[in-house]
Amino acid sequence: MDEVSLQRLGTVVSTDKGPNVMEFSFVTEGGANDIVTRRGEFVSVVTDSGTVIARVQDLVQTNRYYQQAEAVREYQSRGEPLRSIFPTDRWQYTIARARVLGLWSDEKRLRPYFAVSPGAVVRRTDDDVLSSFLSLDVDDGLLLGKLSNHDLEFTPNMTRLLSKHLAILAMSGAGKSYFVSVLLEEILSRPKDKGRLAVVVIDVHGEYTYLKNVDFTSLGITDDVEVEHIRGSHFQIATRSLSAEALASFVSDMSTVQQRDLRRVLTEIQQDSKEGYSLIDIMDYVREDETISKNTKDALLGWLMNLENTNLFGKEASPQTESVIRPGKLTLIDLSDFISLRKKQIVVANLVSELLFKRRQGRIPPFLIVLEEAHQFCPESRQEIALPKSRIETIAREGRKFFALLCLVSQRPVKLSTTVLSQCTNQAILRCTNPYDLEHIGRSSEGIDKSSLEAITTLEVGEALFVGEAVSVPSFVKIRKRHLNPEGETRDLLRAIQKADK
Amino acid sequence: MDQQLDRMLALLVEEIDRVESSRQQFGNVIRKIKDSLDLGRFPAITENTLETSFITKIEPTHLSGLKIAGIDGGLSRRSFRSIDILLTRGIAVIFSFGPDEGPAAEFYPDPFPSPRVTPVLYALQGNELDQIASLERTATELRVILSVLDEFHTDLILLDGSLLNHPRDRPPTASIGYEKFQETIALYKQLYRKARKSRTILVGIIKDSRSTRIVSILGEILPHVLRNPSFFEMMQDVDYRWLLRFSRDTDLLNTFLDEGERTFAFKYSSEVSHETSSLPEDLRDWAASIWVTYLKTARHDYPLRIEVFGNTDIDEPADRLNKALSAILPLSWQHTEYGLPSPIVEADTRARIGNNETQLIMNRLMALTGVRYSPVEKRRMRNPFGG
């Protein structure tokens, strides 16, 4: 590719601050109203030592006729604009401020170590160079969209994107679920010979239920894609699989003495009941055990009754994890039936724990858990109930060693556990305007710079900032249209009330 | 020391107050009688004026359909070892006013032309070099005007500066600069000849005139005018003779001209005879074709001295003058404290050769000559401690 043939965008100018190693400014070419370059666009300067790749951080329009407020005020005092007697448009020009991201030399990305020269020509960056520079995987990556301001497909390598967990963060309505749908399409459409990932989606609002009815062949794949939809109300935890500590984790403040008594009861019942038992059976054992003090007995019975009332516990587990988690299969755990956050948390806590346990033992294949509304399950605050928090933190810390992968989705990053968030080496951040959320994102993302952080508030719906190992520098991406769409879904209020009022 | 300085300043303030209040009083009187001032009573004066009324009101015209050029030149000087280097730039901005908002602009030769570099290979005295530099800039401007007359059919050409060579820029015949002077005078004559054949009105706009022609005329007529008892009564407390001794035209006119008013126009040639150093003989005739007036363009700015080249072959000088001023007025009146026509403002901005640009050229010259370190700048400019 002949670099010099790329479109000229402008010329580097000297300013008080630069050009320096990390920054330069350039005057754009074209007319007063031409948009030659855009904020966020990658630009390049060809030098003898390689191509300096930079990104436009900001654009400033300037016009000497409008620099003096007093003069403008005076000239317009007769009611005529300055433009009526001056060719003001001829003095309008744009200065783009660009931040240097790296040096591309001999097919390698190097740290910048010199400043570009004033007068150097700034050009659009060649797509092939940019793709390599960003570490995109053109042949085998996940096609998630297009790079903003470029006609370059955004295809991050799946290993780099998912192997150290992914967080999808955005305000409500910014396109998180849509992006998850696109991600699922890409993961599920991988051919068998390239290896497929098992995916479990904790679907808090039932947003992905449509996937059980769609025709995956429209994605152009020949291998079967299996989708299993499991309603929360059908979910059952095998009581015999639970230790006293596990049961204690579902309730609050169980003392060590109470746990010790419960452990003893469980040991007894496990010896007596080889075919399994229910919480009612445990309660009977507790009642009959004369060694347990009255106070402990009352407390244990209260807690067990409480758990029993959730209808989540039984003699057998449903579904059986080994049969559900299979390569290329999507399992939707639909929790939209549950109003109680505690019930949702019990399901998630148990599922996460069991998946990691079985994956450690090699009884299930590598998998990805997509956890919607992640802040509900692993909140930062200690005040909030968070039954699955420690288990999610465990999978965040240790899961990658066993290819037990997390994809956390949250609309309140500030409420999400910092421990978990910092373990997600990749983040896809969509539009977010809450200053507390932004601050939290800034603190927990190592690769994000101030300018990119500021740009998050201005992202369009469906546009995301990718930060982390998947891309060598933070990159803005317009998420592609999903190929599989829910039918009959009404997202528009007016249509919904019209439909309801028929 | 401080007390002494304060005393001196206090005396100066007193003097300034006296001058200002006298000038204001003088202006108040003239403002009342200006419409009654009739120059017709003074044939020696009207011999060189366009009209007998002291003041004329100018009606602004609509700019739509007019094509107006503004021309200016820029000058910068540097020394490079023993060589003095002159950088000059002439530019024309041509505004075409249409029905739409704002003028369409064209530029000659370019929107941002490179400066012309002229070396002076003589060891000259400072004032001699000043003259050559000024003549070089004037010549550059004149070449641009000539080209605009040829290539653009403009209604008006506004030159930033006088239509005649400034007497200060006339080197002695033995001077090195005399050749440049002759070249410039030849360009002037070429311009006048061309302007005479053209319908384009040639106008010189003088920003900060130091002329005293109107003051001297006032000095001539006031003793007669004040014979009128009512006028005398008004002026009796004003020491106008004292005031006229050190006032310039614009200082006095600013006290009584209203926005949109111009003074009577007089022949440039009548002013030249009052100068100690005069024009070359062959320009004197042309000086009689140039009419000079002062127009108050902005409420809080000094009047502009405006020179209009009269072309009797085409129309009456008065019509020509008023036609030009009726377009200049709406081009200048928007800023109440800066009454300069917009084409001149634009041309001035583009013609100016700033320090940065000069330095760039000098750096380039150093690079091309291979001079690594050279005291090319004067010592006072390169004090190692700045300042």
Side-chain angles (χ1 to χ4, degrees), chain A residues 478-493:
Chain A
K478 281 191 188 293
I479 303 302
R480 71 161 170 81
K481 291 251 185 274
R482 62 185 174 195
H483 301 309
L484 306 170
N485 286 294
E487 284 181 4
E489 192 185 37
T490 310
R491 286 192 170 271
D492 181 74
L493 173 64

Side-chain angles (χ1 to χ4, degrees), chain B residues 122-185:
Chain B
Y122 302 99
L124 299 175
Q125 295 297 316
N127 62 334
E128 222 173 349
L129 186 64
D130 289 345
Q131 282 178 331
I132 291 178
S134 181
L135 287 167
E136 186 67 39
R137 174 174 46 189
T138 306
T140 308
E141 287 174 349
L142 291 171
R143 283 189 204 98
V144 172
I145 305 178
L146 287 165
S147 301
V148 170
L149 275 170
D150 281 340
E151 295 182 27
F152 299 87
H153 300 286
T154 58
D155 298 289
L156 278 179
I157 289 180
L158 309 180
L159 171 66
D160 187 352
S162 176
L163 290 183
L164 267 172
N165 190 51
H166 197 281
R168 184 189 57 207
D169 294 339
R170 181 178 186 173
T173 45
S175 164
I176 300 291
Y178 194 71
E179 197 182 328
K180 176 57 71 181
F181 172 71
Q182 285 183 310
E183 180 193 329
T184 311
I185 295 302

Side-chain angles (χ1 to χ4, degrees), chain A residues 2 67 69 128 154 191-192 240 259 339 454 456 491:
Chain A
D2 181 8
Q67 280 174 356
D128 292 339
F154 181 69
K192 192 177 168 70
R240 66 177 169 177
Q259 279 188 44
I339 294 168
E454 285 168 3
I456 292 171
R491 286 192 170 271

Side-chain angles (χ1 to χ4, degrees), chain A residues 301-495:
Chain A
L301 288 172
W303 281 319
L304 290 169
M305 179 54 72
N306 204 302
L307 288 176
E308 174 61 18
N309 288 342
T310 62
N311 294 323
L312 289 172
F313 300 89
K315 288 186 178 177
E316 296 297 329
S318 174
Q320 293 289 336
T321 323
E322 283 94 333
S323 63
V324 168
I325 306 300
R326 283 205 298 270
K329 181 179 173 181
L330 170 65
T331 307
L332 300 167
I333 310 290
D334 182 355
L335 301 182
S336 60
D337 290 339
F338 293 157
I339 294 168
S340 159
L341 176 60
R342 186 156 169 268
K343 284 171 80 169
K344 293 181 204 172
Q345 290 192 342
I346 291 171
V347 170
V348 171
N350 180 261
L351 188 67
V352 168
S353 176
E354 196 173 330
L355 287 175
L356 181 61
F357 176 69
K358 289 183 176 168
R359 178 61 206 144
R360 271 180 165 150
Q361 293 180 325
R363 289 159 61 186
I364 55 174
F367 64 85
L368 172 72
I369 304 177
V370 178
L371 185 57
E372 279 274 352
E373 306 290 3
H375 56 277
Q376 291 185 358
F377 302 105
C378 47
E380 175 72 351
S381 165
R382 288 170 189 274
Q383 275 79 44
E384 293 179 51
I385 54 163
L387 308 182
K389 183 177 175 180
S390 64
R391 295 161 199 215
I392 294 171
E393 285 181 347
T394 306
I395 206 169
R397 277 195 310 271
E398 301 170 14
R400 65 188 176 89
K401 295 169 195 161
F402 310 101
F403 305 112
L405 314 175
L406 273 177
C407 171
L408 303 177
V409 184
S410 176
Q411 57 174 293
R412 289 312 314 272
V414 74
K415 291 192 169 183
L416 191 58
S417 158
T418 315
T419 311
V420 174
L421 195 54
S422 61
Q423 291 293 327
C424 297
T425 44
N426 281 296
Q427 296 186 356
I429 305 156
L430 292 95
R431 185 175 156 82
C432 191
T433 54
N434 186 305
Y436 299 111
D437 286 334
L438 285 170
E439 193 186 341
H440 193 69
I441 290 169
R443 278 207 310 268
S444 56
S445 304
E446 288 170 16
I448 198 162
D449 57 21
K450 190 167 172 277
S451 167
S452 301
L453 197 62
E454 285 168 3
I456 292 171
T457 56
T458 63
L459 289 175
E460 294 168 19
V461 172
E463 194 177 11
L465 170 66
F466 278 80
V467 189
E469 278 198 7
V471 280
S472 50
V473 294
S475 303
F476 293 93
V477 175
K478 281 191 188 293
I479 303 302
R480 71 161 170 81
K481 291 251 185 274
R482 62 185 174 195
H483 301 309
L484 306 170
N485 286 294
E487 284 181 4
E489 192 185 37
T490 310
R491 286 192 170 271
D492 181 74
L493 173 64
L494 283 179
R495 286 189 187 167

